[in-house]
Amino acid sequence: MSKDKLVIFDTTLRDGEQSPGASMTREEKIRIAKMLEMMRVDVIEAGFAIASPGDFESVKAVAEAVKDSRVCSLARAVRPDIERAGEALKNANAGRIHTFIATSPIHMKYKLQMEPDAVLEQAVNAVKMARNLCDDVEFSLEDGSRSEDDFMFRIIEAVIDAGAGTINIPDTVGYGTPEEYGGMFRRVIENVPNSDKAIFSTHCHNDLGLAVANSLSAVMNGVRQVECTINGLGERAGNASLEELVMAVRTRKDFYPVETHIDTTHIVPTSRLVASVTGFPVQPNKAIVGANAFAHESGIHQDGVLKHRETYEIMVAQDVGWNTNKLVLGKHSGRAAVRARFEELGISFDDKDEFNEVFKRFKDLADRKHEIFDEDLQTLVVDGTADACEDIYAFKSMEVTCKTGTTPSASLVLKKSGEQIDVSSEGSGPVDATFKAIEKAANSGADLELYSVNAITSGTEAQGDVTVRLARDGLIVNGVGADTDVVAASAKAYLHALNLLESGSTKAHPQHEGV
């Protein structure tokens, strides 16, 4: 018996971007969107077109670059939002306008300051407007899990009649539990007369750690679309994790009455790309994509796995993209081999000069690191994007002194607006001294909110991948830097963050509204 298809709606580029400091440039969004397309994600929510000129351009660029997935833009239930979304999607091979309005009593009373009948009328008008611009419209009931049943039934019936093909009832604040959330969908589907004319969808936040459980409970109660993000990225505690949802349905095909069309071998490479771009590293014990996800330390477990893998492993690591390619590049690798591997990773270059610049960085890394892995290649591209942002500050060279019993010091040669400057400082450690030296030149007034270091690959030769989060005047940015020298990577990450702050980059903007 054939199973229903579960539509995978990825919102990494929209809701995932609302994580503090996780905003992405247009080029980064295109790169991630192409990876999602290779994964065969059904719907890619590329952004909130009216939020900013940068968001509009990103949605437009993704819509033009992606051919095999449907590209979506979020829009509030008002004319300017919907028209802007329609304009951004007009060149899409397949587009969707996703419009929403709050429906819970607390949101209608205090945020919208509208009566329920007025909210229903606005929702219907918004859907009709969107249907005139796009043949695929999704309607979301913001804060749906705290909405009253009778009003939900009324508004859902009305927007389906108006042309909405997908109805999304999000758990906006992560308040729901699996039993409640799944039961809500069952009641809606049973009580809305035209519910058979739409696909019902979840969008769960992870504030109580229940986003995936809530989504799967909804699937068991008739939902056929799940909204999710790579690595569970999203505002506050994040969203339902795409990789966990997809692999739960695939692994427990004996239990779930649905199937996805996702190519799971692209999960781990996409996870690593998103982590590098956003500066949000994946925790080692994260399901599916964490470094420890398929590791066994217990002697009993190791013995069992060696004798028969299924004793302690319910999935095959290679099925989600772990070690699917053993090809290792090095300093003797030529342009053709390097370009071919980039293409296999879903990374393309607009012109010859762009590839030449990345190849130059590859050769420089190969002189310092014997073996170059896929993760290194992805970092080279992300590092190049960092270099391409407004270069108010540029790293040239540095010298660090650190000896037991003495105060560490750092001397750096930087470029500030094209002018070379020498700065030095002491600190409690080499990284502290480096940051203090940079601040002598920058005097940015920014607060350092996060500093994290992760090894990109295994071994002592591995590059250090550093994230620096700076905040100033309500703006939060994540700077990234990579180098086999962790202190140099730290300097690059700090300078990248400063450039994002000072240049008014699209990666530095306040949070915007969403479901």
Side-chain angles (χ1 to χ4, degrees):
M1 188 175 76
S2 63
K3 292 187 173 186
D4 290 347
K5 178 185 176 182
L6 181 63
V7 175
I8 301 299
F9 178 114
D10 182 273
T11 183
T12 303
L13 303 182
R14 200 278 300 170
D15 204 330
E17 192 190 30
Q18 290 183 224
S19 299
S23 296
M24 308 165 211
T25 65
R26 180 178 62 182
E27 292 72 23
E28 289 165 345
K29 282 194 171 188
I30 292 171
R31 187 165 291 123
I32 292 171
K34 295 296 286 182
M35 289 293 284
L36 295 171
E37 182 182 29
M38 287 175 64
M39 198 191 297
R40 298 208 295 262
V41 163
D42 299 293
V43 185
I44 300 171
E45 189 166 50
F48 196 167
I50 203 167
S52 71
D55 264 43
F56 174 84
E57 291 299 330
S58 293
V59 174
K60 183 173 182 289
V62 170
E64 292 170 352
V66 170
K67 302 304 177 189
D68 298 329
S69 300
R70 188 172 293 276
V71 178
C72 174
S73 174
L74 190 67
R76 291 167 299 189
V78 293
R79 181 179 293 276
D81 283 40
I82 292 168
E83 289 179 344
R84 194 68 167 153
E87 186 181 352
L89 295 169
K90 66 181 179 182
N91 294 326
N93 189 48
R96 173 182 292 186
I97 294 176
H98 178 191
T99 187
F100 71 95
I101 194 168
T103 56
S104 67
I106 190 171
H107 276 237
M108 289 190 289
K109 181 176 180 179
Y110 293 105
K111 188 178 82 167
L112 299 180
Q113 297 181 342
M114 293 172 65
E115 292 297 320
D117 285 347
V119 170
L120 188 150
E121 183 182 1
Q122 186 168 325
V124 168
N125 290 339
V127 169
K128 289 179 177 177
M129 200 182 311
R131 280 291 278 125
N132 286 331
L133 299 173
C134 188
D135 64 358
D136 189 322
V137 175
E138 175 172 341
F139 176 76
S140 280
L141 294 78
E142 186 186 5
D143 203 24
S145 61
R146 295 194 296 177
S147 299
E148 295 176 339
D149 278 7
D150 288 346
F151 182 62
M152 273 203 299
F153 302 160
R154 286 176 55 212
I155 196 169
I156 290 170
E157 180 181 4
V159 295
I160 292 175
D161 281 343
T166 302
I167 302 298
N168 181 49
I169 310 179
D171 184 22
T172 302
V173 295
Y175 185 73
T177 65
E179 293 78 6
E180 289 176 323
Y181 194 60
M184 175 189 68
F185 278 101
R186 185 178 64 254
R187 294 193 305 276
V188 167
I189 292 170
E190 289 175 351
N191 287 279
V192 173
N194 54 0
S195 62
D196 60 321
K197 293 182 172 61
I199 292 173
F200 284 83
S201 169
T202 72
H203 179 111
C204 294
H205 284 266
N206 207 37
D207 298 71
L208 295 176
L210 295 172
V212 170
N214 285 340
S215 299
L216 291 173
S217 175
V219 168
M220 296 300 291
N221 284 277
V223 159
R224 292 299 178 261
Q225 174 180 286
V226 289
E227 302 193 359
C228 46
T229 61
I230 298 295
N231 299 338
L233 196 67
E235 60 182 328
R236 302 189 315 276
N239 290 313
S241 162
L242 180 148
E243 58 273 11
E244 293 176 23
L245 286 165
V246 167
M247 292 310 294
V249 168
R250 176 186 166 118
T251 304
R252 294 303 311 274
K253 59 183 69 174
D254 61 313
F255 182 75
Y256 292 107
V258 294
E259 62 185 3
T260 77
H261 294 174
I262 295 295
D263 182 348
T264 60
T265 60
H266 293 291
I267 285 176
V268 169
T270 306
S271 165
R272 288 174 171 169
L273 176 61
V274 170
S276 294
V277 165
T278 60
F280 278 70
V282 176
Q283 68 207 54
N285 63 331
K286 170 77 167 66
I288 317 298
V289 294
N292 294 347
F294 293 90
H296 298 275
E297 186 168 333
S298 163
I300 294 174
H301 286 209
Q302 290 174 342
D303 180 62
V305 169
L306 289 171
K307 289 175 179 174
H308 190 65
R309 183 187 58 79
E310 285 83 358
T311 53
Y312 286 101
E313 285 189 358
I314 60 172
M315 295 171 282
V316 179
Q318 287 77 11
D319 286 351
V320 295
W322 285 106
N323 301 320
T324 53
N325 193 298
K326 296 290 185 181
L327 179 64
V328 178
L329 301 173
K331 67 179 181 179
H332 298 299
S333 301
R335 290 173 182 271
V338 174
R339 182 186 283 274
R341 190 62 197 140
F342 272 122
E343 289 175 354
E344 288 173 16
L345 292 172
I347 299 170
S348 58
F349 301 95
D350 293 335
D351 53 50
K352 187 176 179 181
D353 289 342
E354 186 183 2
F355 174 72
N356 287 341
E357 183 59 36
V358 172
F359 187 72
K360 180 182 175 183
R361 287 197 297 275
F362 166 82
K363 284 295 190 181
D364 177 60
L365 177 60
D367 283 335
R368 294 177 285 130
K369 188 175 187 287
H370 181 61
E371 295 180 326
I372 309 296
F373 298 93
D374 290 349
E375 298 90 334
D376 294 309
L377 295 180
Q378 288 178 329
T379 302
L380 285 175
V381 176
V382 174
D383 227 20
T385 305
D387 292 342
C389 78
E390 282 296 322
D391 254 348
I392 297 171
Y393 299 100
F395 175 85
K396 302 302 291 182
S397 64
M398 70 183 302
E399 180 180 333
V400 175
T401 302
C402 187
K403 181 180 178 182
T404 304
T406 63
T407 302
S409 63
S411 299
L412 289 84
V413 179
L414 309 173
K415 276 197 171 181
K416 183 177 181 181
S417 301
E419 180 183 347
Q420 183 167 304
I421 54 174
D422 298 335
V423 289
S424 60
S425 183
E426 294 181 337
S428 60
V431 173
D432 183 49
T434 298
F435 289 176
K436 285 178 176 174
I438 292 172
E439 276 298 335
K440 281 189 175 180
N443 194 25
S444 68
D447 294 323
L448 176 63
E449 291 201 339
L450 174 74
Y451 170 74
S452 77
V453 184
N454 290 275
I456 294 173
T457 57
S458 59
T460 55
E461 277 191 340
Q463 290 191 89
D465 188 15
V466 176
T467 300
V468 168
R469 182 179 300 165
L470 297 181
R472 186 182 69 190
D473 299 332
L475 296 180
I476 302 173
V477 296
N478 281 347
V480 293
D483 201 285
T484 51
D485 180 339
V486 172
V487 182
S490 302
K492 291 177 181 179
Y494 199 96
L495 291 168
H496 179 214
L498 285 177
N499 283 331
L500 292 173
L501 278 181
E502 301 296 345
S503 65
S505 163
T506 55
K507 290 196 78 169
H509 59 73
Q511 305 296 294
H512 46 61
E513 189 175 4
V515 294

